[in-house]
Amino acid sequence: MRPLAPATPPAGRTARAALVVLAALSLLTACGGSPAAESAVGPASGSGKSGAKGTVTLRIPDPGNAGVLARGKKDGSLDKALAAVGAKVAWTGSAGPFAPAAQAMNADQLDIATGSITSGITSLSQSPGFAFFTATAPDPVGEGILVREGSDIHSVEDLVGRKVAVNKGGTGEYLLLKALAKAGVPADRVERVYLRPDQTAAVFNAGQVDAWAVWSTYAVAEIGAGRARFLADGAAIGSDNYSLNAVRSGFAEEHPEVVRALYDYLHENSAKEKKDPAAYLNVFTDAGPTAVNGKARDVQISFVGKGGTVDPIRPEDIRRFETVARFYADQKVTPNRVDIAAHLLDVEKLS
């Protein structure tokens, strides 16, 4: 899952999609989930409003210890880019699942968030007060279905009769359903166990589920520790699970030049991150729970280097978004097909 912040452990792929932006705002990662919106954000002070000197405040989830925004926060380059259009950042809470972030935008408590197209569609099926303005291509190597090392599961068909952990309505559920459909396995032949991603590792490693459909934010630690391997990654599954950045609709209407400036910053610096992923890891500290070291560091660098960059939403992207929306409706994840095209911005036309 790339979200505008790193894996909180996406989102989508964030992680990766976290990692370009959560690293991306990856992976907001990525990506579905159901914690209360209040747990992900702080108070609604000052959003999109001008301060005493006319400065516009842009509320973004704190990027943590990795990714484009983390480096921009540390070296002041993001502040400089936004100051050029009369804006400043307020780091609000921390990046996490997109569902509570979407609720926070709807409640005017947050202005920017990152998540996967899958969790985005789920949130759009309700009453959205946000629109997507960037796209990062689906992660070919950092998302997929994990099984434990030594598992007797060697193909998607082997999941029949097994338990697979997924986050409901987000990246995990999509990856599992997509993999089963591609393999010709009826979805009801595999038991979906709905868990929050940040609560799944212990369950997975204890053997209480047989597999885990997840994105790089969480996969890196498992693969890096030698505990797990991908049964099928994004490329094998044929994933259309883009990472997207979302903006509160009211903010975009009032301050399009700020949204454009943020996009320009993310686009330019995500390309730099892809070329030199190591420079965007352990931005504030190389020790503690937010640091990535050892084999996990090598895995994350590899994933980011093979991932995408933050780009405008093109017509070909929209067609793939619509494929996901149709798939979710067919699989009864959403009650109807979501018209995602109605909630997209052409960021290159903002100024």
Side-chain angles (χ1 to χ4, degrees), residues 34 40 50 55 63 73 145 156 187 196 216 223 247 278 288 292 301 307 344:
S34 57
S50 299
T55 301
K73 178 182 179 182
I145 300 173
V156 172
R196 278 174 39 186
S216 63
I223 295 172
V247 60
V292 181
I301 287 172
L344 304 176

Side-chain angles (χ1 to χ4, degrees), residues 4 25 58-61 105 110-114 133 246-247 262:
L4 289 174
L25 270 173
L58 178 65
R59 296 165 300 176
I60 304 176
M105 286 189 287
L110 190 66
D111 300 311
I112 298 291
T114 297
F133 66 101
V247 60
L262 177 62

Side-chain angles (χ1 to χ4, degrees), residues 33 165-168 193-200 203-204 209 212:
V166 302
N167 59 314
K168 185 174 179 63
V193 179
Y194 293 119
L195 294 169
R196 278 174 39 186
D198 60 351
Q199 298 176 336
T200 305
V203 175
F204 174 70
V209 293
W212 181 8

Side-chain angles (χ1 to χ4, degrees), residues 44-230:
S45 61
S47 155
K49 298 181 174 62
S50 299
K53 296 183 179 180
T55 301
V56 175
T57 298
L58 178 65
R59 296 165 300 176
I60 304 176
D62 189 274
N65 195 33
V68 165
L69 292 182
R71 183 161 170 170
K73 178 182 179 182
K74 183 177 182 180
D75 66 17
S77 59
L78 179 61
D79 287 336
K80 182 178 179 180
L82 292 178
V85 290
K88 65 178 182 179
V89 174
W91 300 110
T92 307
S94 59
F98 185 71
Q103 294 171 19
M105 286 189 287
N106 290 344
D108 191 14
Q109 296 175 326
L110 190 66
D111 300 311
I112 298 291
T114 297
S116 64
I117 184 61
T118 48
S119 56
I121 286 171
T122 304
S123 295
L124 286 173
S125 68
Q126 300 164 26
S127 300
F130 60 90
F132 295 108
F133 66 101
T134 76
T136 299
D139 188 348
V141 295
E143 65 176 12
I145 300 173
L146 287 176
V147 294
R148 290 181 296 279
E149 284 291 356
S151 170
D152 62 353
I153 300 173
H154 297 289
S155 69
V156 172
E157 290 83 354
D158 291 341
L159 293 173
V160 170
R162 309 291 188 117
K163 296 180 179 180
V164 182
V166 302
N167 59 314
K168 185 174 179 63
T171 291
E173 187 162 30
Y174 168 77
L175 292 171
L176 175 61
L177 291 173
K178 183 75 171 177
L180 294 176
K182 185 174 182 180
V185 176
D188 62 3
R189 301 287 303 281
V190 177
E191 181 179 349
R192 277 169 270 175
V193 179
Y194 293 119
L195 294 169
R196 278 174 39 186
D198 60 351
Q199 298 176 336
T200 305
V203 175
F204 174 70
N205 287 304
Q208 294 175 287
V209 293
D210 302 291
W212 181 8
V214 70
W215 59 100
S216 63
T217 296
Y218 302 92
V220 164
E222 301 304 317
I223 295 172
R227 293 189 293 261
R229 59 179 169 82
F230 273 133

